[in-house]
Amino acid sequence: MRILLTEDDPDLADVVALGLRNESYAVDVAPTCAHAEELLRLTTYDVACFDLGLPDGDGLELIRRLAREPELRRPRRSLVLTARDAVADRVAGLDAGADDYLVKPFHFAELVARVRALGRRGEEHGSTLRVGELTLDLVAHTARRGDTELRLTAREFSLLRYFMHHPGAVLSAEDLLEHVWDAHANPFTASVRVILSRLRRKLGEPPLIVTITNVGYQLKERP
């Protein structure tokens, strides 16, 4: 998943972003409402985490604007991360359109669990993805093809997860770059091709991810 983290404390933002990236998520960080708006005009995030007290405005108002301003791409799910712990604040956040609310300070494991839960909300697979011979455990962070465990890097795991969310669909390099990499990725590099080549090699034979010439890549449900 690709995550937007709005947080004006640079130390906290660095720690949370690094932790989420280690969980194989692509993370973009916005320290202000204005920066968050720039990113939301370009990308549809799977989960957006909104701090409420930002230097140039209130994250709560930004959440409200997502519902009424079409130029801002509404995240699929949103989570408020704030020090405001009053019941009235929680109610206001959820009424504004947030899907969840987490009070600072929080345990990082709980944040990851909530992000994971938001990512799978409305889907049937729960914490495990299965496509043909492939099994991906999103909690244990393990991948298997049949009885063989696959030793994947965080980026390879994230890439395979995205393919398994879209079995049979033809995904372009641009799709993969938008959802698996973050805003720091250079769209003119061969990064997608290199990581994809490594993932294919680790998946073994017969190949499960095939190239559709001049279109993109497809995860086959059967070899």
Side-chain angles (χ1 to χ4, degrees):
M1 295 189 295
R2 189 162 178 180
I3 298 173
L4 171 63
L5 174 64
T6 66
E7 174 56 61
D8 63 324
D9 182 330
D11 293 332
L12 180 59
D14 287 346
V15 168
V16 173
L18 177 60
L20 290 171
R21 287 172 183 141
N22 287 339
E23 293 291 326
S24 81
Y25 297 116
V27 184
D28 296 333
V29 179
T32 64
C33 283
H35 192 179
E37 287 179 34
E38 291 177 12
L39 295 173
L40 288 164
R41 287 188 174 92
L42 299 172
T43 303
T44 301
Y45 289 93
D46 297 290
V47 176
C49 301
F50 292 103
D51 188 8
L52 298 188
L54 295 168
D56 59 343
D58 195 319
L60 198 61
E61 179 56 28
L62 180 56
I63 293 173
R64 293 191 184 102
R65 288 174 54 204
L66 290 170
R68 65 175 187 261
E69 297 185 17
E71 67 271 17
L72 298 177
R73 299 188 183 186
R74 189 170 187 171
R76 294 183 175 90
R77 302 293 176 192
S78 58
L79 167 66
V80 171
L81 289 176
T82 179
R84 300 178 192 174
D85 60 355
V87 172
D89 291 319
R90 296 171 189 258
V91 171
L94 296 172
D95 283 348
D99 297 288
D100 200 357
Y101 195 105
L102 183 59
V103 175
K104 302 175 185 176
F106 51 82
H107 291 285
F108 182 74
E110 182 179 4
L111 172 62
V112 172
R114 287 174 183 255
V115 167
R116 196 162 50 228
L118 288 172
R120 66 175 182 259
R121 186 174 292 182
E123 299 176 350
E124 297 178 354
H125 52 71
S127 62
T128 303
L129 290 175
R130 291 186 178 87
V131 176
E133 300 176 314
L134 292 173
T135 303
L136 212 62
D137 188 320
L138 304 179
V139 177
H141 226 258
T142 57
R144 306 186 73 86
R145 179 174 181 174
D147 296 326
T148 304
E149 183 172 353
L150 307 173
R151 297 187 178 277
L152 306 180
T153 66
R155 184 74 71 195
E156 292 162 357
F157 187 93
S158 185
L159 184 58
L160 181 57
R161 177 173 56 197
Y162 189 69
F163 271 109
M164 291 179 69
H165 274 292
H166 304 85
V170 179
L171 305 174
S172 68
E174 290 75 16
D175 290 329
L176 301 177
L177 193 63
E178 178 174 354
H179 290 279
V180 181
W181 278 257
D182 58 30
H184 296 291
N186 184 342
F188 301 105
T189 68
S191 180
V192 171
R193 190 168 65 250
V194 170
I195 301 297
L196 184 56
S197 176
R198 289 199 328 225
L199 175 60
R200 283 167 145 172
R201 186 166 60 250
K202 291 183 180 182
L203 290 177
E205 297 291 338
L208 294 177
I209 297 176
V210 298
T211 300
I212 309 300
T213 305
N214 298 325
V215 181
Y217 309 94
Q218 180 187 52
L219 174 64
K220 300 193 296 183
E221 299 191 49
R222 293 183 179 83

